[in-house]
Amino acid sequence: MRLGLLGLPGQVACGRDPPTRAQTAAPAAPAAPPTITAAPPAAAPTTPWRECTEAFRAPMEQRVLGRRGLEALDDRTEALRCVTLQIAGEPAFFVEVIATTGDRQLRLQGVMRVDGEAELIALREAPLSWPQLLGGQAAFETLDLDGDGTDEVLVHYDDRRQVRSSWIDVIVIRDGRLIELAGPPDRARRR
């Protein structure tokens, strides 16, 4: 017999059948609490982290200049500047070289292994502006801005000749290439 809301025969309670005996039986013993397992630890980098100190920078500069037949602009300016970054969890050096070959000045950028020997992203020519050529200050910082496990390089340039001339470039790594976002994003330069 079906009982409704008011307990009268023939009524249907909210369109549902009354509970069965199995549904009204005593509740089963409480289930064991779920086991929470910690996520496996992230794999440690296979290469130790190294900051791009003078001990690494100076020999790397000599190797890069020698391999490419380049010369430093002058004795006062470092031809190679570098900063440590992370690519897919592994440390590497982002390098920028400003040097000459004959009467031509050029700027190269790339990514090298922390041993300074192998290029992970080949050094390629990048646009060179007067402040860079004249030894304007550049400060490099790295940060994984988009959370993909590969750092982006933030470059703050400062033209020493002008009090109010400074700018920031963002260099991202995509598909094994460096992409420099200089100024407004619509002026992105691919290399």
Side-chain angles (χ1 to χ4, degrees):
M1 174 182 341
R2 296 174 99 180
L3 298 177
L5 273 175
L6 302 175
L8 302 173
Q11 290 183 337
V12 176
C14 300
R16 290 183 282 161
D17 290 332
T20 64
R21 284 182 191 228
Q23 293 171 331
T24 59
T35 304
I36 299 174
T37 57
T46 56
T47 306
W49 186 267
R50 293 185 182 143
E51 292 298 327
C52 193
T53 61
E54 186 62 17
F56 291 105
R57 191 208 64 77
M60 189 168 37
E61 177 182 84
Q62 293 306 311
R63 282 192 295 272
V64 168
L65 294 177
R67 286 181 192 160
R68 295 189 174 257
L70 301 172
E71 294 179 19
L73 293 174
D74 58 44
D75 294 336
R76 300 170 303 169
T77 308
E78 297 171 345
L80 184 140
R81 296 183 274 200
C82 59
V83 65
T84 306
L85 57 79
Q86 174 177 274
I87 297 180
E90 291 293 320
F93 292 146
F94 167 80
V95 297
E96 178 179 78
V97 178
I98 298 177
T100 64
T101 175
D103 61 346
R104 183 172 173 251
Q105 293 86 17
L106 56 101
R107 174 180 172 225
L108 303 172
Q109 290 180 334
V111 177
M112 299 185 75
R113 279 193 345 214
V114 291
D115 64 6
E117 293 290 334
E119 296 177 9
L120 298 175
I121 297 177
L123 290 170
R124 294 189 182 155
E125 201 162 337
L128 178 63
S129 66
W130 278 107
Q132 294 161 330
L133 186 60
L134 297 174
Q137 289 182 304
F140 297 105
E141 292 293 331
T142 60
L143 181 65
D144 186 1
L145 294 171
D146 55 8
D148 66 353
T150 296
D151 287 342
E152 284 72 38
V153 180
L154 304 173
V155 188
H156 175 239
Y157 291 104
D158 192 11
D159 184 349
R160 294 179 185 173
R161 301 169 303 154
Q162 300 178 23
V163 176
R164 301 182 78 179
S165 180
S166 90
W167 67 97
I168 292 177
D169 290 348
V170 178
I171 301 171
V172 298
I173 299 171
R174 295 289 181 270
D175 302 323
R177 295 184 313 175
L178 297 175
I179 301 171
E180 184 175 10
L181 305 174
D186 61 317
R187 290 184 40 209
R189 298 186 298 258
R190 291 183 168 267
R191 291 189 299 283

